[in-house]
Amino acid sequence: MKLKINYFDNNIIITNDKVFVIEIENKKYFYRFVNDLYNISNGDILEDITFFDNKNTEINISNKINIFTNYFEFNFNSKKYQSDINKYIIENISDVDKNTILTTYKKLISSTKTILNKAELPICISIEQTIENIIKSLKININSKDDLLENLLLIIDLEKNLKSNYLLIFVNLKQYLSNNELNELYKYAIYNDIFILLIDSQCYGGTKEYENKLIIDNNLDEFMLK
């Protein structure tokens, strides 16, 4: 995948065998770039940033970017994840299991109606008895981990199965992980064919294993490292 940023000299090429890292020392440029990506993640289409697939065809990935800045609270149970999880379960559950759930649910509704009929109120149950409504009503949650790296690996697992996003972006993640942990995250993302992009507000020097890197210094000079 290629990112063309009008205010960068270099294009960003994200491949399935490396993780791309952008280190921007100029604070205004750093804020501008991250803010533009946030707008795209929220559904906006910006002229300054264009995405292309491996065939160099322009693609629209608005709402298909997930940006992480807070590593102390992962929003695993957002509406988007909830919707994608429900869809994944419904698509992968067997017909036998669907029938089992529907039969059990009908028994629950029948028992509940019997109890409600004893109440001196004009009430009834109006929910449509479908597998979609049942799964949605369960409010299935994702259990987060206590360790940062484990949560990051969990994100990769979710993206591999749910395909919620086209690109994962981690801002200033290097402040929280050791070199060995970064290496493990890189390898796991590459192994699972998940595109990730790291953006940092300081320079960490040369490239690490599995990295391609663009450094933009305070004078806006750019250095591409591989």
Side-chain angles (χ1 to χ4, degrees):
M1 179 173 61
K2 181 173 73 175
L3 281 71
K4 185 178 184 300
I5 300 101
N6 288 346
Y7 45 89
F8 286 6
D9 293 333
N10 290 276
N11 292 327
I12 309 304
I13 308 297
I14 302 177
T15 62
N16 57 9
D17 62 340
K18 289 287 183 74
V19 170
F20 205 98
V21 177
I22 305 176
E23 296 173 352
I24 308 174
E25 293 182 306
N26 186 288
K27 303 305 180 185
K28 288 186 176 181
Y29 242 49
F30 170 81
Y31 180 83
R32 177 184 180 183
F33 183 46
V34 174
N35 186 58
D36 282 349
L37 291 172
Y38 257 116
N39 289 333
I40 293 172
S41 72
N42 289 326
D44 293 345
I45 298 176
L46 304 184
E47 293 182 358
D48 282 334
I49 300 180
T50 313
F51 295 83
F52 299 88
D53 63 16
N54 293 333
K55 297 180 180 178
N56 209 35
T57 301
E58 184 175 345
I59 55 177
N60 178 10
I61 62 173
S62 297
N63 280 323
K64 298 294 286 183
I65 299 175
N66 201 353
I67 302 177
F68 298 89
T69 58
N70 183 357
Y71 302 109
F72 301 95
E73 184 179 357
F74 290 92
N75 193 14
F76 286 127
N77 297 310
S78 65
K79 287 184 178 180
K80 184 175 183 180
Y81 268 140
Q82 284 270 322
S83 176
D84 290 341
I85 290 170
N86 291 343
K87 180 180 177 182
Y88 176 81
I89 292 172
I90 292 167
E91 289 178 348
N92 288 277
I93 195 170
S94 70
D95 290 337
V96 173
D97 288 335
K98 285 181 181 179
N99 289 331
T100 299
I101 292 172
L102 286 169
T103 300
T104 304
Y105 191 73
K106 287 177 180 178
K107 291 180 181 178
L108 173 62
I109 294 298
S110 178
S111 297
T112 305
K113 284 182 177 179
T114 300
I115 295 172
L116 292 178
N117 287 337
K118 297 177 182 179
E120 296 179 358
L121 294 170
I123 53 178
C124 64
I125 298 174
S126 60
I127 186 172
E128 185 180 358
Q129 297 179 35
T130 64
I131 194 67
E132 289 80 10
N133 286 339
I134 295 171
I135 295 299
K136 184 178 180 180
S137 68
L138 293 176
K139 295 184 178 180
I140 300 169
N141 292 323
I142 300 168
N143 293 323
S144 62
K145 309 293 184 179
D146 294 326
D147 179 76
L148 173 56
L149 179 60
E150 289 183 2
N151 277 320
L152 296 172
L153 300 182
L154 174 58
I155 290 169
I156 301 298
D157 288 334
L158 289 173
E159 293 299 331
K160 177 185 176 182
N161 290 288
L162 303 180
K163 297 177 174 57
S164 300
N165 299 283
Y166 202 88
L167 176 66
L168 304 178
I169 299 175
F170 300 97
V171 179
N172 283 330
L173 179 60
K174 287 189 175 183
Q175 295 181 8
Y176 302 94
L177 294 181
S178 67
N179 288 335
N180 288 336
E181 289 172 326
L182 278 171
N183 192 56
E184 187 172 347
L185 173 64
Y186 291 171
K187 289 192 295 183
Y188 200 67
I190 292 169
Y191 176 79
N192 288 286
D193 202 26
I194 301 299
F195 287 148
I196 67 173
L197 172 67
L198 269 66
I199 305 173
D200 290 278
S201 57
Q202 66 186 84
C203 179
Y204 288 89
T207 57
K208 305 180 187 303
E209 189 176 7
Y210 305 111
E211 278 188 353
N212 287 328
K213 179 183 290 190
L214 174 66
I215 298 174
I216 303 176
D217 67 15
N218 272 314
N219 298 318
L220 303 181
D221 293 324
E222 298 186 12
F223 307 91
M224 185 70 75
L225 306 179
K226 296 183 178 181

